[in-house]
Amino acid sequence: MSTLAEPLAPASGASHAPLDQVLADLKSCSDAGWLRRLDYAFAEFVARRAVSNGPLAAVTAALLALMEGRGHTCIELAAWTAVPLDVRLAAARNAQTEEVAAAGASLARLIPATAQDWAAQLRATGVVYDASADDQNEPLVLDGTTLYLRRYWRHEGDVAAGIAAHVAETVPLDTEAVRTWLQKLFGPIADTRQPDWQRVACAVALRRRFTLITGGPGTGKTYTVARLLALLFATAAAGSEPRVALAAPTGKAAARLTASISSALENLDVQLANGVHARELAGMIGPARTLHKLLGARPDTARLRHDAANPLDVDVIVVDEASMVHLGMMAALLNAIPPHARLILLGDKDQLASVEAGAVLGDLCSDAGGAAYDAATRDYIHATTGFQLAQSDATRNSGLAQQAVMLTESRRFAGAIGQLATHINAGDVTGAEKVLSTREDAEARWLVTPTPAAIVQLASQGAEDSAAGYASYLHVIAARADYADDHDRWALDVLTAFDRFRVLCALRDTAWGVSGLNAAIQQKLTKERLISVSGEWYEGRPVLVTRNDAELGVSNGDVGIALKGPSGDALRVYFADGSTLRSVLCSRVAHVETAFAMTVHKSQGSEFGHTMLVLPPEQSAVVTRELVYTGVTRARSRLTLVSANREIFAYAIAHTTDRTSALGRRLEVAFITRPSHS
């Protein structure tokens, strides 16, 4: 009998196995955890509708659904004929029984030997739409030898077409006026041979209706966009000042965007056109919203209020933390933007991609950095900024690359955390390990021989050098009487103190993960008499919102703390949006989880004074370079890395997240079929 560890050569054609047997084999794989139950259900749905070769349709549909669950928007058939299916499934799960091994081997025999043969057989099933033929609303879509679930094929096409349309035509500009205003906003140029990429980003963004600004933490993305907004107001004709919308994927990220833009504009002492002062712009623009709120998400339907038929009434949209925006949301956003509006995306291309399928920002940033600017773009940058960029040696100069700018100088991370992040991004394990110290007072510390108990102790009381743990915010709660009945100031101070420390985990359901550490930390704080737990809700309970609720005004990713109200009555969950406080009765908040520990994914868009990043002692497919980098860069001033197994840290840095997508290829096609016009 073949086992899953023994590769099977792909068959030259489809097996004649009866469909019921194939579905039984898929069910065995689902029961063993190699497939999700959803994958099996979708495979059965597709196979029962096939007019021919139901077995191949079933296996293909299960595979496609499985990979969608892992963040891929499509599969390349050639990649799956190169390595047999049973070997790939075995890599996902080590445990195996003879029954499941036999099921995997049987399924592997169904895969044709070549991508071309596989595609040809799929076209005959009646459940696959060939993108070059008539559309009969089949559930799967085949574009050459790239296979999609229909919605992701549509989303990729919408994103590619939307971006190409917004980049297509240049906006008429007075380059001398732009240069004059850039001088006022950024000051004099010290050296024309050393580009100030923040200034370049503002100039590039004025030129067309789509701009991508990427860079790591502290490189000044929101500082730059604040000056860009001032530039847009300064160069607008009288009475036609732009209507601006600020947005981010989560409530926390939206609040940070609002605060960052307001701070940058407050410090910008420049009188703009039409009697408007730069520091007045924040009030004119208004606070940032989540993308769901911006697009008009409703609790009773998946349809959004704003789309191509009912576009947003704005002239400029700025979206921060774009790495968190999944493919479907990006497609919805582009569909809702009016043709004349500008879209400006901000994000760190090296961070984790969205939890849902797609790695949109990573795909869009493939040519970011200035090396692919063509002669026209370099001439424009010189005319508006004074900087003379070196001639590009790129083999191609894509249309998107002309509107992408990478900020490289970090003003926040000049120390150990910044050095560590740089080594991680470079895949330099040795360099990363050298930065980490074992000293308790180190900016970037490696906790030696950690145990869950040691993690819990540090989380509770902090380090010996007074680095904050969770006791810090709980002491503020206990000091309520010192606030002279200023309840709002007390609640804001509690929330601020809570953000001084956070435990971030790679996994959820282990002793080293979110569930295990949340329970252990809660137990420790109870033992220390810092909290009093008498049920699900107790004063001081930190919670993470896990689902949008428009009626309550809370969004997925919001973090709040349960506190007593001004009268000392019923517990309410308090949230901070900058210096603004809002609250909801605990009894009304249904979709939350305790947040002493949270996943790295859920922490995106946030920063904490001291971050403890906990890696598991065993290897896991989710522990990658992007995850470690994202966790490390959540730390504002101090990082504690917990990695009981040094090999796991090294493995993570050496392995990047790989998500299959054809967005880059479809963008190239979109720009060819819709070239830019100056």
Side-chain angles (χ1 to χ4, degrees):
M1 176 182 293
S2 297
T3 69
L4 290 175
E6 299 171 350
L8 291 171
S12 58
S15 166
H16 295 290
L19 177 58
D20 287 346
Q21 180 59 55
V22 170
L23 291 175
D25 288 342
L26 287 170
K27 181 69 163 55
S28 295
C29 290
S30 174
D31 292 341
W34 291 354
L35 296 173
R36 301 173 300 171
R37 296 194 184 281
L38 176 63
D39 305 331
Y40 168 74
F42 181 68
E44 183 177 29
F45 167 82
V46 170
R48 298 295 188 194
R49 285 155 179 78
V51 297
S52 68
N53 209 341
L56 180 61
V59 173
T60 304
L63 172 62
L64 190 56
L66 172 69
M67 299 313 290
E68 181 271 341
R70 295 180 182 176
H72 305 266
T73 59
C74 57
I75 61 172
E76 300 290 350
L77 299 184
W80 287 86
T81 56
V83 180
L85 177 65
D86 57 339
V87 176
R88 286 182 178 268
L89 290 174
R93 290 288 186 275
N94 293 324
Q96 53 181 280
T97 64
E98 286 191 5
E99 177 187 2
V100 175
S106 295
L107 294 172
R109 292 191 184 96
L110 295 173
I111 304 300
T114 68
Q116 291 73 21
D117 190 16
W118 193 351
Q121 293 188 41
L122 286 175
R123 291 187 189 99
T125 61
V127 291
V128 177
Y129 163 51
D130 186 329
S132 63
D134 292 334
D135 189 355
Q136 301 297 323
N137 292 314
E138 296 92 337
L140 310 183
V141 176
L142 190 63
D143 190 350
T145 57
T146 304
L147 187 68
Y148 294 87
L149 294 172
R150 171 174 283 275
R151 68 177 178 276
Y152 291 113
W153 173 75
R154 187 176 64 249
H155 290 335
E156 272 194 1
D158 287 348
V159 170
I163 290 176
H166 278 80
V167 175
E169 297 183 5
T170 57
V171 178
L173 290 172
D174 181 341
T175 55
E176 276 302 317
V178 172
R179 185 163 179 163
T180 299
W181 280 109
L182 286 173
Q183 188 86 351
K184 291 180 180 180
L185 295 169
F186 286 94
I189 296 173
D191 185 350
T192 59
R193 296 167 299 178
Q194 297 294 325
D196 175 356
W197 290 106
Q198 294 178 343
R199 190 188 302 241
V200 170
C202 287
V204 166
L206 279 191
R207 190 184 184 207
R208 301 181 189 272
R209 304 197 185 281
F210 176 86
T211 307
L212 175 61
I213 302 174
T214 185
T219 52
K221 295 184 291 295
T222 51
Y223 171 93
T224 301
V225 86
R227 277 154 176 74
L228 171 57
L229 293 174
L231 184 60
L232 287 168
F233 274 83
T235 56
S240 61
E241 290 80 8
R243 296 160 298 173
V244 178
L246 306 178
T250 67
K252 186 73 172 181
R256 280 192 60 210
L257 177 60
T258 299
S260 297
I261 293 290
S262 297
S263 176
L265 289 172
E266 180 65 28
N267 295 321
L268 184 56
D269 189 16
V270 176
Q271 187 74 24
L272 304 177
N274 304 323
V276 176
H277 197 284
R279 64 170 59 101
E280 300 172 6
L281 291 183
M284 297 171 64
I285 293 170
R289 290 169 283 175
T290 65
L291 284 169
H292 282 87
K293 289 180 180 177
L294 176 70
L295 296 176
R298 292 170 288 184
D300 56 336
T301 176
R303 292 180 61 86
L304 300 167
R305 185 163 59 250
H306 293 290
D307 54 19
N310 181 31
L312 292 160
D313 188 20
V314 294
D315 302 306
V316 180
I317 300 175
V318 177
V319 179
D320 196 14
E321 298 292 349
S323 64
M324 301 168 64
V325 182
H326 59 83
L327 181 64
M329 179 57 74
M330 188 63 74
L333 175 63
L334 284 159
N335 282 334
I337 297 175
H340 74 275
R342 299 175 186 268
L343 174 61
I344 301 157
L345 299 182
L346 311 176
D348 184 347
K349 67 180 181 62
D350 297 313
Q351 282 192 31
L352 280 167
S354 62
V355 176
E356 297 183 54
V360 180
L361 186 66
D363 289 338
L364 298 182
C365 286
S366 60
D367 291 327
Y373 290 154
D374 60 23
T377 300
R378 295 195 305 275
D379 289 345
Y380 167 78
I381 290 172
H382 181 249
T384 52
T385 69
F387 295 119
Q388 186 71 60
L389 301 187
Q391 184 172 343
S392 171
D393 58 0
T395 56
R396 66 187 183 92
N397 306 102
S398 73
L400 178 59
Q402 310 315 307
Q403 289 302 114
V405 181
M406 183 183 297
L407 308 181
T408 56
E409 182 181 352
S410 177
R411 291 163 172 80
R412 185 192 313 158
F413 287 142
I417 295 174
Q419 295 170 27
L420 180 59
T422 299
H423 288 304
I424 290 170
N425 265 343
D428 180 3
V429 176
T430 302
E433 291 183 341
K434 285 182 179 179
V435 172
L436 291 163
S437 171
T438 58
R439 299 193 331 268
E440 286 194 357
D441 63 343
E443 179 185 345
R445 175 192 178 195
W446 195 325
L447 190 62
V448 179
T449 61
T451 63
I455 297 171
V456 169
Q457 176 61 32
L458 181 56
S460 170
Q461 298 297 333
E464 291 182 6
D465 68 327
S466 300
Y470 289 131
S472 174
Y473 90 94
L474 293 169
H475 289 323
V476 179
I477 293 178
R480 176 177 174 175
D482 298 339
Y483 283 77
D485 295 327
D486 190 345
H487 182 273
D488 284 2
R489 185 166 66 89
W490 169 71
L492 283 169
D493 283 356
V494 171
L495 289 160
T496 300
F498 182 66
D499 275 351
R500 291 177 189 146
F501 179 83
R502 197 63 47 88
V503 176
L504 303 182
C505 303
L507 305 178
R508 290 194 59 85
D509 300 322
T510 70
W512 298 80
V514 170
S515 59
L517 289 177
N518 263 326
I521 292 170
Q522 180 175 288
Q523 185 177 23
K524 175 69 172 177
L525 294 173
T526 302
K527 186 177 181 181
E528 298 281 345
R529 297 186 177 180
L530 292 169
I531 57 174
S532 178
V533 180
S534 57
E536 178 186 10
W537 288 103
Y538 54 87
E539 187 162 44
R541 181 192 178 195
V543 293
L544 172 72
V545 177
T546 59
R547 186 179 299 181
N548 296 321
D549 190 326
E551 183 180 350
L552 295 181
V554 298
S555 302
N556 184 13
D558 286 355
V559 174
I561 297 177
L563 299 170
K564 291 180 180 177
S567 306
D569 48 8
L571 286 173
R572 304 180 68 89
V573 182
Y574 284 83
F575 303 91
D577 295 330
S579 59
T580 303
L581 198 66
R582 55 190 170 91
S583 67
V584 181
L585 279 171
C586 292
S587 58
R588 298 190 64 197
V589 184
H591 303 289
V592 295
E593 58 187 38
T594 302
F596 291 115
M598 58 198 298
T599 62
V600 174
H601 263 293
K602 290 290 187 180
S603 74
Q604 286 181 267
S606 300
E607 286 180 0
F608 314 104
H610 181 185
T611 296
M612 178 189 287
L613 175 60
V614 182
L615 302 183
E618 307 87 17
Q619 187 173 308
S620 170
V622 304
V623 184
T624 62
R625 181 184 302 172
E626 291 84 358
L627 181 136
V628 176
Y629 170 81
T630 303
V632 164
T633 54
R634 298 312 88 201
R636 189 163 50 245
S637 56
R638 175 168 293 197
L639 170 78
T640 298
L641 175 69
V642 178
S643 181
N645 185 343
R646 286 177 177 257
E647 292 182 359
I648 299 301
F649 180 61
Y651 175 88
I653 294 176
H655 288 77
T656 58
T657 302
D658 180 23
R659 288 192 170 185
T660 305
S661 162
L663 179 57
R665 186 170 71 234
R666 296 182 74 175
L667 275 164
E668 290 182 11
V669 173
F671 277 107
I672 291 171
T673 56
R674 187 166 190 168
S676 299
H677 299 288
S678 298

